[in-house]
Amino acid sequence: MILDLLLVLLALPVLLAAGYLLLLTLLSGEKKAPPQVAPRLKFDIIIPAHNEEAGIARTVSNLSRVDYPVELRRIVVVADNCSDATADRAREAGATVLVRHNQELRGKGYALQLAFERSLADGFADAVVVVDADTEVTPNLLHAFALRLEAGAQAVQAHYGVLNPHASWRTRLMAVAMALFHKVRSLGRERLGVSCGLRGNGMCFTHAIIRQVPHEAFSIVEDLEYGIRLGKAGQRVHYAWEAEALGEMVTSEKAARSQRRRWDGGRMAMTRKFGLPLLAEGLRKGDKVLVDLAMDLLVPPLSWVVLGAGAVTVASGALSLWQGHVTLSAYVAAASVLSLVLYVMRGWWVSGMGLSGLSALAWAPFYVAWKVWLMLSRPEEKKGEWVRTTREAPKP
């Protein structure tokens, strides 16, 4: 009995994490695209770029074709500490270009700060949109943002998905993973009326919120950092599920290793800094946005939750066999595993990957082991600096 209760106590973090994910899964029913509003608001579409000469013209060209009046939008490329012809290629494609050189203050956060300040000073736009340099967006992007802004939103996130899902098993698995983290969780959080979170790509902010909460986020995960600052200022990020920003994902292990170390290392740093204090502040104020932002940070990566559930299942199964009956810890383990299975299968479904997505899930155990190894080793990149992920060969 004592061993069973001890195992239940050890399993509680896994059960809470799995329960949070199950709640979002149950609330993640897809909605119909809302009707568009008459175009009125003006947008500056900002592309932070570091040595992106090979693909920047493709991104600018894609953004030039969005379904929104030309006179109500500008495309602005920030060529940040580039040593190639990114600025020239962007100008040739029709973008306004800001060239930034600062060897001390390096990274996407500083590039965005410059672009936001320039947008405010120019006074052309009502809001800014952030799109990465390796991205293609759906034509309805600005309409989806405008609809939310007209209804009172100050910050909006489009769905951030995978541009090349069928390039390899890794990108197929990534498509399912991003459907889980970016769509299932965001749809659930939107229905709860909390912040869906910022994803770094396909973001929109009004000039008013940038003035209220200046973009002073310079970590490796500047999007996560700024989203927390918005929440603390009383603003939630709305989710535009019907619009997409599709980024190119890497296929090689070496490039994925560098990228994942930066993302996971940056997120862990934010969790250590903000997780528990944010939860305490949210509970003290009765602020569901802050509580949810804290929960989003404190729930470990899915790899860790799966490993925890597996360990509890093995331990509770052994204990049940030893005691000759099904223990309480075994029920806890079963509830955790079932919640995680429903969460993963919901992500597979909304990813639209079909049988290829299911086959990619067969690689999940190897991917989990690889991620755990990465997380146990320390990131090598310096805080906040540009570390350009190797791109695949650009499409003609």
Side-chain angles (χ1 to χ4, degrees):
M1 186 66 174
I2 295 177
L3 284 176
D4 191 30
L5 289 176
L6 180 60
L7 193 52
V8 169
L9 288 175
L10 292 174
L12 275 180
V14 174
L15 182 63
L16 289 173
Y20 174 74
L21 297 178
L22 177 61
L23 173 63
L24 297 183
T25 300
L26 296 175
L27 294 173
S28 67
E30 295 182 78
K31 305 177 180 181
K32 293 182 179 179
Q36 296 181 355
V37 297
R40 183 184 66 85
L41 299 177
K42 295 181 179 179
F43 294 92
D44 275 337
I45 309 174
I46 294 166
I47 309 171
H50 174 69
N51 290 344
E52 297 284 357
E53 65 176 357
I56 191 65
R58 182 186 69 178
T59 301
V60 172
S61 177
N62 169 256
L63 290 169
S64 298
R65 297 192 299 270
V66 295
D67 180 21
Y68 205 78
V70 174
E71 65 273 15
L72 298 181
R73 54 181 167 86
R74 297 192 307 182
I75 300 173
V76 180
V77 172
V78 185
D80 189 80
N81 287 293
C82 293
S83 58
D84 66 358
T86 295
D88 293 335
R89 299 293 88 78
R91 287 193 192 95
E92 291 167 2
T96 298
V97 178
L98 304 179
V99 177
R100 180 180 180 275
H101 289 290
N102 189 320
Q103 294 301 313
E104 299 299 321
L105 305 178
R106 299 167 56 87
K108 183 178 177 180
Y110 293 105
L112 291 179
Q113 183 186 50
L114 171 67
F116 289 0
E117 289 175 350
R118 178 66 174 270
S119 182
L120 290 173
D122 287 353
F124 165 80
D126 300 292
V128 297
V129 173
V130 178
V131 174
D132 282 349
D134 58 353
T135 296
E136 293 185 10
V137 306
T138 52
N140 64 335
L141 184 75
L142 297 186
H143 276 294
F145 288 154
L147 175 68
R148 272 79 178 180
L149 300 189
E150 294 279 17
Q154 300 294 316
V156 188
Q157 173 67 57
H159 173 59
Y160 177 17
V162 179
L163 179 61
N164 56 332
H166 299 290
S168 71
W169 70 265
R170 191 181 298 276
T171 57
R172 291 194 296 272
L173 190 59
M174 195 68 179
V176 176
M178 292 181 78
L180 280 168
F181 195 78
H182 292 174
K183 181 164 281 190
V184 173
R185 291 172 73 156
S186 294
L187 281 168
R189 296 169 82 186
E190 180 71 13
R191 278 204 165 88
L192 287 172
V194 296
S195 179
C196 78
L198 294 173
R199 308 305 181 195
N201 195 5
M203 306 181 295
C204 177
F205 311 106
T206 64
H207 275 189
I209 196 61
I210 296 172
R211 290 190 181 95
Q212 179 188 344
V213 186
H215 192 276
E216 297 172 350
F218 309 115
S219 67
I220 292 173
V221 285
E222 82 295 323
D223 52 327
L224 179 60
E225 183 181 357
Y226 191 56
I228 292 170
R229 295 188 62 220
L230 289 176
K232 290 172 71 67
Q235 296 289 343
R236 78 178 184 94
V237 179
H238 296 246
Y239 185 45
W241 61 87
E242 75 277 17
E244 295 185 318
L246 303 175
E248 185 178 340
M249 297 296 126
V250 298
T251 60
S252 71
E253 190 277 334
K254 181 178 180 180
R257 184 197 322 156
S258 171
Q259 187 180 72
R260 181 53 60 183
R261 272 180 168 161
R262 285 183 283 121
W263 287 353
D264 288 349
R267 187 174 180 86
M268 288 178 67
M270 289 294 106
T271 300
R272 289 192 296 268
K273 182 177 180 180
F274 292 109
L276 291 176
L278 203 61
L279 180 61
E281 183 180 353
L283 292 174
R284 186 176 69 251
K285 294 180 177 178
D287 189 328
K288 65 179 182 179
V289 171
L290 294 184
V291 170
D292 179 75
L293 284 171
M295 286 297 296
D296 185 61
L297 283 173
L298 292 171
V299 170
L302 184 59
S303 302
W304 288 99
V305 181
V306 168
L307 285 176
V312 171
T313 299
V314 171
S316 62
L319 186 60
S320 295
L321 288 174
W322 180 46
Q323 295 192 351
H325 63 86
V326 179
T327 61
L328 178 60
S329 59
Y331 287 111
V332 170
S336 300
V337 170
L338 179 60
S339 297
L340 293 175
V341 169
L342 291 174
Y343 174 61
V344 171
M345 294 312 294
R346 178 61 179 155
W348 163 73
W349 181 261
V350 302
S351 74
M353 291 295 291
L355 292 178
S356 65
L358 278 180
S359 64
L361 288 175
W363 289 90
F366 303 98
Y367 186 73
V368 167
W370 175 76
K371 277 198 66 179
V372 170
W373 171 71
L374 288 182
M375 294 180 72
L376 291 175
S377 60
R378 295 297 180 186
E380 300 173 359
E381 291 81 6
K382 295 182 180 179
K383 179 180 178 181
E385 290 194 3
W386 286 108
V387 180
R388 185 181 180 278
T389 301
T390 303
R391 307 292 186 213
E392 311 299 330
K395 298 175 184 178

